[in-house]
Each structure stands twice: as structure tokens, then as C-alpha cells.
Amino acid sequence: MEYAPYSMDDKEAARDTLPDPLLKKDGSYVTTPFEWHNFQRSYILDMLKKYEYGEILPRPDEMSFQLLNCRQGALGGKAVRKEVRITCSMLDGRSHSFKILIYLPANASGPVPAFLGLNFKGNQNTTVEKDVIPTGYRFPGVLVDEGSGVQHHRWIPEEIVARNYATVTCCYHDIFPDRADGIGDSVAKLFFTPAEYGKFGEKYSVIGAWAWGLSRIMDYLELDPDIDSSRVAVHGHSRLGKTSLWAGAVDTRYKMVISNDSGCGGGALHKRKFGENLSQHFQHHINMGYPSWFVNEAERFIYKEEELPIDQHELLAMIAPRPLAVGTATEDRAADPKGEFLACKAASQVYKLYGSCGLTVDEMPGPDIHCAGDISFHYRTGKHDHTPQDWGYYLDLADKYL
Ligand code: GCU
């Protein structure tokens, strides 16, 4: 089979009808938030599990938290920095731990709302501070990047604390290393024996494991007196934007969900058949040394997206009625920004059940217009990245919603 993306000509995009999230199994329609919340939502969530993201891994038998470091006067006096080790263990002695980095505003007078997201290159690369504990092991014992500060622009912790929010992060490799044979060094080892690793993808996904890690960090945040855990926004960029959406779907403790440039398997509609498709997530990724990020079942729909019983607007609808922000970029064409816009539009009908309009506009906006609302959308000028401009929009939303 050839693994190629779809055309990026909008005229060639498919015009398939999308499954209606309000259509019930018996052919009638959901008309109340009660029915959505108590019945329909879990019916769709089960399909999202089955066809894309898998079951939710259980909680570990035990968890412990160790404060490794607490530094006043961080970020030139603007912040307090904490680094915490989270250990998840099973009664039979298996355990897995990962370290999180937290910046708090220096002069907070009480618990603060927080942004929580996974990073690609280790906690040390989200900041300019050089003495952060290095994390991020794609391969055992080998840091993915020693600390060039290369992804600081994606995190700008000094700006976030200046707006009176905490920022919390952990490297995704430390939850599930993003390599083809990463499972033995991942959280999955708590629940699977080596002989069972090959079966992981039958029921679970790597994206699901990353989302599980976010939930465990949330467990910690609920106990941290410096954080107001009822006001946490989960966010992520690209594959980690796919992850933040799934995290927001399965864990309703997040008050707001942000997906930045998440594309295929994130905010973009599969059935539009535009740009990247599921083929890239299977053979192509595996050839590049990545695991497939979805359940095995998803592979069945490569080039047959019209047969998928669900689509990504239904993932977005899982966030309702909580605020959802979807950011896209003009040069990130393969991720199909318009497909993300259309998904937001189609998810809005679920927000409408709650008396919200969801998305506030009907037509895809031009670049750099922030369509702020219960579902927010923007189309930033520039490449596939999470920039300070994106942060500006997300921080404004947090001011309103957190
Ligand atoms: C690959 C992948 C995308 C993903 C991106 C990223 O390009 O095909 O779907 O969003 O990596 O995570 O950076």
C-alpha cells in the first residue's frame, strides 16, 4: 500500500456528510443537555475509544509525590520554581516515575489557575534557566536535548506567570517514549508484562497513555496548595494537541482545553480527505522510528475515512460545555486548518444544547483574527509551531474563562 497524504487543493476535499453527534442509536435526536451528558456523550466516547484512542489505562495502585526543588526568585525574580517527581506504583513492585516543572507567579496571594501541557524536548528546554533538572528520555539514559532552550518560545513561562497563572509541564517521552519500541520504558509497563506488549495497540493507544500522564499530573495538582486545580487549562501542540483534546475528553477536571496545530487525529476532519491522513500515523511513522499513536483499529480506515463511524468534530464535542480553543497556522497546510474550522463549527451544535453558540463565526476567518468564544478559533500567519502570538490568544481566553 502506498502511504501518501491527500491533495491540499480545497476543491478536491471530500464533501461527505459528517455523523451527527446528536443522532441517537434509535434514530431520534438529543435535545437536552441531560440526555447529552448522561447518555449520548458516553456512546460517542466509546466509539472514539474503539476507533482511535483506545481505552483509558487504569490508575496505578499507588502514587507518591516528591518535591525535588523549590526555588524562590526564579525567572529573574518573577517566579517560584518547583520540580516534583511523580511516582506511580503497583502493589507487585512495578513503578514508573516522571518529573514535572512548575513555575508559579512570585507574588501570588493564594492558589493560582494553571496551564498544563506536555513538552517535546525536556523540561529544561521550556525555559531559559540553566539549572532545571534535565528530563526527556526518548531512549534510556539519553536526553532528547540537553538544554539549549530551543523550545522556550513555545512556553514563555515568564509571560505566563506575569499574567498570574502557573505553568506546569512534563516531557512526553517520560510518560511513553515516542519511539517504536518505547513501551518497555513507558507507563504501560505498570499494566502489561513484556510478553503482552505486542497486544497494547489492540486496546490502548500511545496518545491515550500521554493523556493518562496528564491525568496523573492533575492528581498531583489537586494536592498542591499553590494551584487552584478547579481552574486548569490543558494544552498541547501538534501530536500533543491531539493528546490535549483526548485528555480533555476523558478527564473532565480540566476547565479549558487548548489544541494548537493538532491536525490529523486532532482537530481536523478525517472525512474531508485533505492533507495528512491516518496512513502517516501507521507505516510512515513506524518507518521513521515512531510508534503508531492510535489503536490498531484505526488502521482499517486508511483511505476509507468515509467508513469511519465518527469524526473529529465529535472529539471536540466531548469538551462541551467547557471552553475549547483551536489554533491553526497558515503554513501548516497538511494539518488542514479549514478542516479544523469545520470541525469546530460542527461541534458547535452540542454547545448549542447548553445555550452557547460554540463558535462565534460561520465562515473561516482570515489570518490572525481571534474568534473568541466558548469554542475559539484562530488561523495564525506562519508555520507549524506554538508561538507567543498563539499564547496571547490563549492567555486572553484564560482571563475570561479560568
Ligand atoms: C508529524 C505528524 C503530525 C504531527 C506532527 C507533530 O508530522 O505526522 O500528525 O502533528 O508530527 O507532532 O509534530
Side-chain angles (χ1 to χ4, degrees):
M1 188 189 280
E2 188 199 343
Y3 289 90
Y6 287 121
S7 155
M8 292 201 279
D9 181 343
D10 200 45
K11 288 197 275 310
E12 289 175 32
R15 302 276 179 257
D16 265 12
T17 31
L18 295 175
D20 184 338
L22 301 180
L23 181 60
K24 296 194 284 188
K25 254 192 288 194
D26 69 3
S28 66
Y29 288 88
V30 171
T31 55
T32 63
F34 179 86
E35 271 183 292
W36 171 261
H37 187 79
N38 294 299
F39 302 104
Q40 185 75 351
R41 187 181 187 279
S42 53
Y43 165 57
I44 296 178
L45 190 67
D46 284 347
M47 289 197 280
L48 289 163
K49 287 179 186 167
K50 177 166 176 201
Y51 299 116
E52 291 190 88
Y53 307 101
E55 293 295 325
I56 306 164
L57 286 164
R59 293 176 72 115
D61 292 335
E62 283 172 356
M63 288 181 72
S64 64
F65 310 108
Q66 185 186 3
L67 181 63
L68 301 170
N69 182 12
C70 179
R71 192 172 154 238
Q72 306 292 327
L75 298 175
K78 294 183 191 144
V80 175
R81 187 179 89 208
K82 295 206 285 195
E83 287 154 283
V84 176
R85 180 191 286 120
I86 298 182
T87 303
C88 301
S89 8
M90 303 305 279
L91 295 175
D92 65 8
R94 286 186 267 184
S95 79
H96 185 86
S97 63
F98 41 88
K99 299 183 189 103
I100 62 171
L101 167 67
I102 304 174
Y103 282 111
L104 299 157
N107 302 315
S109 53
V112 288
F115 286 94
L116 164 62
L118 298 176
N119 68 70
F120 283 87
K121 294 206 178 271
N123 296 345
Q124 65 279 18
N125 281 296
T126 65
T127 174
V128 291
E129 293 198 302
K130 293 289 171 208
D131 55 344
V132 164
I133 300 169
T135 63
Y137 292 96
R138 183 167 183 227
F139 291 95
V142 186
L143 284 171
V144 65
D145 186 301
E146 291 204 350
S148 51
V150 64
Q151 296 203 322
H152 170 259
H153 69 285
R154 288 190 179 176
W155 294 85
I156 51 170
E158 37 296 276
E159 308 284 331
I160 292 174
V161 294
R163 300 272 293 254
N164 222 21
Y165 297 97
T167 166
V168 183
T169 188
C170 170
C171 183
Y172 81 136
H173 291 300
D174 297 340
I175 312 271
F176 196 120
D178 198 6
R179 60 169 217 268
D181 60 350
I183 189 166
D185 297 308
S186 79
V187 295
K189 70 177 189 282
L190 298 174
F191 310 108
F192 291 79
T193 62
E196 295 165 337
Y197 289 166
K199 289 179 176 246
F200 177 80
E202 287 173 15
K203 225 174 130 190
Y204 298 94
S205 76
V206 173
I207 287 179
W210 292 327
W212 180 96
L214 286 164
S215 289
R216 302 294 70 80
I217 298 172
M218 192 62 179
D219 295 342
Y220 165 76
L221 296 179
E222 288 187 317
L223 300 173
D224 186 327
D226 293 327
I227 306 278
D228 180 350
S229 63
S230 68
R231 293 189 289 156
V232 173
V234 66
H235 66 97
H237 168 66
S238 203
R239 72 200 70 171
L240 298 176
K242 309 181 207 305
T243 303
S244 62
L245 289 171
W246 184 238
V250 296
D251 191 336
T252 53
R253 290 176 294 176
Y254 307 114
K255 189 162 186 204
M256 175 164 126
V257 177
I258 300 167
S259 137
N260 193 76
D261 299 2
S262 63
C264 177
L269 295 171
H270 291 297
K271 292 175 190 288
R272 234 171 79 82
K273 301 195 169 194
F274 182 104
E276 189 175 66
N277 57 56
L278 286 167
S279 75
Q280 272 90 83
H281 296 293
F282 285 89
Q283 209 49 45
H284 178 64
H285 273 177
I286 289 160
N287 292 343
M288 289 162 70
Y290 291 106
S292 68
W293 297 331
F294 297 88
V295 277
N296 296 350
E297 179 75 1
E299 194 167 7
R300 209 154 65 74
F301 299 96
I302 293 176
Y303 302 138
K304 288 191 239 157
E305 289 81 354
E306 65 282 359
E307 291 175 15
L308 243 185
I310 42 154
D311 209 339
Q312 299 308 96
H313 60 305
E314 293 175 294
L315 173 64
L316 303 187
M318 292 294 115
I319 312 303
R322 294 168 291 161
L324 163 69
V326 173
T328 64
T330 56
E331 291 170 35
D332 194 18
R333 298 198 57 230
D336 192 13
K338 185 162 175 202
E340 297 207 41
F341 175 80
L342 294 172
C344 290
K345 200 167 155 176
S348 294
Q349 55 180 319
V350 175
Y351 280 74
K352 285 182 185 145
L353 284 177
Y354 289 88
S356 154
C357 64
L359 200 60
T360 54
V361 288
D362 281 331
E363 298 299 323
M364 170 88 177
D368 306 317
I369 296 169
H370 187 206
C371 307
D374 296 341
I375 298 182
S376 302
F377 181 86
H378 74 264
Y379 182 43
R380 169 182 52 74
T381 300
K383 61 185 170 68
H384 182 72
D385 202 353
H386 188 165
T387 70
Q389 183 181 343
D390 297 310
W391 269 118
Y393 301 138
Y394 303 142
L395 282 159
D396 287 348
L397 292 169
D399 288 351
K400 178 167 176 209
Y401 289 107
L402 288 189

